[in-house]
């Protein structure tokens, strides 16, 4: 599936809920979000049908996200259904990790290939403050449980925030030296609750840890390794080094809207469509991807939704 700029679209990020067990300050409003009626979000069958149609159109990699995907009842069944679609080469899941102590094993058995776990601080007090009540120990336990369940290539998503976790950069880099993880430093984006004042360019990581050696990049990340390190460091620089030319993804929200670009308010409703009509809507949506986001110029995302309603 090619878009109008010649990019090959092979990656679907499918949001399964906009609810979450955390309320990270840069992602969710303090009061949380109202629980929507059953009929307002896609059923598991609708989500699986959308994934199947996207694969028919050329998608090879599917990521389940949210909100927090592991709070959605039936998520394991959805994983099984998506993993079984012929043509899915990789099924990934992005999670806050809090439910992994219980669910890492079942997710592996359900056919999930890889996990991204979000973790913005290694200090319990800071972690609880940023997530408004999350327990760091649950996420660390979840990481251990996912390694024990056989997950490899796990990525740790760290959103860099000035005055919040910049002093922890060396500790995170050290984690990537000790463990076979990719620690991904993500630039804070001015979307939803994300505040421009806290922005810190990911390049800072290289200034703080000059010993990091560049290695081959992957997808949208620049990658590095500490000499002798077991894992790697990735920089996701959506703001300071726009990677739109390499973007290969489309997104579908839990209420069934295809978003050709994270930072555009363009949305194509997919609910109620089946068969060729659904495939046509997906192809047309992918084709309509804007060439690039304009956050760097405007200082604000035009997404029209908060991050927990899209999935990152
Ligand atoms: N709840 C899951 C989690 O936290 O991993 C999945 C959904 S969350 C919206 C996906 C990713 O988006 C997380 O890594 C989160 O840190 C990131 N994110 C949320 N708001 C962001 C923002 N304003 N800028 C950059 N990344 C953001
Ligand atoms: Fe929830 Fe993930 Fe948003 Fe944090 S970043 S509030 S864990 S959806």
């Amino acid at each position: 599936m090619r878009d109008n700029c010649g990019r090959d679209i092979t990656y679907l990020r499918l949001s399964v809920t906009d609810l979450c067990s955390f309320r990270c300050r840069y992602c969710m409003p303090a009061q949380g979000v109202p629980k929507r009626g059953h009929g307002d979000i896609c059923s598991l069958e609708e989500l699986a049908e959308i994934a199947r149609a996207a694969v028919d159109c050329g998608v090879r990699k599917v990521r389940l996200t949210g909100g927090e995907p592991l709070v959605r009842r039936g998520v394991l069944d959805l994983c099984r259904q998506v993993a079984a679609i012929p043509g899915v080469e990789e099924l990934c899941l992005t999670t806050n990790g809090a439910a992994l102590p219980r669910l890492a094993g079942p997710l592996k058995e359900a056919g999930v290939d890889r996990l991204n776990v979000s973790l913005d601080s290694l200090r319990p007090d800071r972690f609880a403050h940023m997530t408004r009540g999350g327990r760091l120990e649950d996420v660390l336990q979840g990481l251990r449980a996912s390694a024990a369940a056989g997950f490899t290539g796990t990525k740790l998503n760290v959103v860099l925030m000035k005055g919040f976790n910049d002093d922890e950069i060396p500790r995170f880099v050290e984690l990537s030296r000790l463990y076979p993880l990719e620690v991904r430093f993500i630039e804070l984006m001015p979307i939803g609750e994300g505040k421009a004042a806290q922005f810190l360019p990911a390049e800072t990581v290289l200034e703080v840890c000059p010993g990091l050696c560049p290695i081959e990049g992957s997808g949208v990340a620049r990658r590095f390794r500490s000499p002798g390190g077991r894992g790697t460091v990735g920089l996701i620089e959506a703001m300071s080094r726009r990677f739109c030319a390499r973007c290969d993804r489309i997104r579908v929200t839990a209420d069934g809207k295809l978003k050709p670009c994270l930072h555009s308010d363009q949305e194509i409703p997919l609910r109620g469509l089946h068969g060729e009509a659904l495939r046509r809507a997906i192809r047309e949506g992918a084709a309509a991807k804007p060439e690039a986001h304009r956050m760097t110029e405007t200082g604000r995302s035009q997404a029209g939704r908060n991050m927990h309603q899209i999935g990152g």
Side-chain angles (χ1 to χ4, degrees):
M1 190 164 43
R2 289 220 173 256
D3 73 2
N4 291 337
C5 305
R7 293 169 294 199
D8 198 11
I9 308 303
T10 56
Y11 176 12
L12 167 68
R13 297 178 66 104
L14 186 57
S15 178
V16 305
T17 179
D18 60 358
L19 301 178
C20 188
S21 45
F22 291 173
R23 289 183 195 171
C24 300
R25 287 168 190 272
Y26 55 82
C27 179
M28 276 233 184
Q31 67 278 17
V33 286
K35 195 163 192 283
R36 300 211 240 175
H38 244 349
D40 295 338
I41 59 163
C42 291
S43 65
L44 297 178
E45 290 68 31
E46 286 176 298
L47 292 170
E49 187 180 3
I50 289 169
R52 250 178 251 118
V55 173
D56 286 345
C57 294
V59 160
R60 297 283 164 262
K61 169 175 169 181
V62 178
R63 175 177 304 280
L64 303 184
T65 176
E68 173 49 43
L70 300 186
V71 303
R72 175 84 197 249
R73 193 178 303 169
V75 69
L76 292 173
D77 190 41
L78 180 64
C79 292
R80 263 179 232 112
Q81 290 192 53
V82 176
I85 300 172
V88 170
E89 291 169 7
E90 200 176 24
L91 172 60
C92 305
L93 183 131
T94 301
T95 172
N96 64 27
L100 282 179
R102 182 170 52 88
L103 290 178
L107 284 167
K108 186 76 186 159
E109 277 165 27
V112 174
D113 295 302
R114 255 191 338 96
L115 297 174
N116 281 30
V117 180
S118 300
L119 179 56
D120 300 325
S121 175
L122 294 166
R123 287 180 38 174
D125 51 339
R126 275 190 190 171
F127 183 83
H129 173 78
M130 180 50 70
T131 55
R132 297 194 178 97
R135 278 169 26 112
L136 174 65
E137 187 46 41
D138 293 344
V139 182
L140 297 179
Q141 186 57 35
L143 285 168
R144 287 181 213 111
S146 50
F151 280 106
T152 56
T154 299
K155 291 179 180 152
L156 216 61
N157 286 355
V158 184
V159 177
L160 270 177
M161 282 165 278
K162 187 159 49 184
F164 170 69
N165 59 3
D166 39 351
D167 59 342
E168 294 188 61
I169 292 173
R171 267 189 92 188
F172 276 115
V173 169
E174 179 64 3
L175 266 192
S176 80
R177 202 179 64 75
L178 296 175
Y179 298 99
L181 294 168
E182 174 150 317
V183 175
R184 301 195 122 190
F185 293 98
I186 298 175
E187 288 184 345
L188 181 69
M189 295 181 282
I191 174 173
E193 309 293 312
K195 305 278 181 294
Q198 281 194 301
F199 173 80
L200 194 70
E203 183 83 22
T204 310
V205 173
L206 305 180
E207 289 158 17
V208 174
C209 300
L212 285 169
C213 306
I215 56 172
E216 204 183 323
S218 83
V220 296
R222 279 203 291 159
R223 290 169 76 233
F224 303 83
R225 190 189 288 280
S226 298
R230 296 178 70 199
T232 54
V233 168
L235 305 185
I236 310 289
E237 302 164 286
M239 300 298 292
S240 56
R241 287 177 183 238
R242 195 159 41 193
F243 43 69
C244 303
R246 280 174 281 134
C247 184
D248 58 357
R249 57 198 67 183
I250 49 174
R251 297 170 164 85
V252 174
T253 61
D255 57 355
K257 307 276 171 46
L258 187 153
K259 283 187 85 69
C261 169
L262 170 58
H263 298 295
S264 151
D265 62 3
Q266 197 185 359
E267 298 190 346
I268 294 113
L270 300 181
R271 290 192 86 184
L273 301 178
H274 305 281
E276 187 47 32
L278 179 56
R279 290 190 288 271
R280 195 179 324 119
I282 292 173
R283 279 194 296 267
E284 286 174 5
K289 269 176 82 67
E291 191 176 359
H293 72 69
R294 297 187 55 252
M295 279 185 301
T296 329
E297 295 86 336
T298 63
R300 199 70 204 151
S301 168
Q302 268 74 51
R305 291 177 181 244
N306 272 14
M307 234 8 190
H308 67 91
Q309 299 168 309
I310 307 174

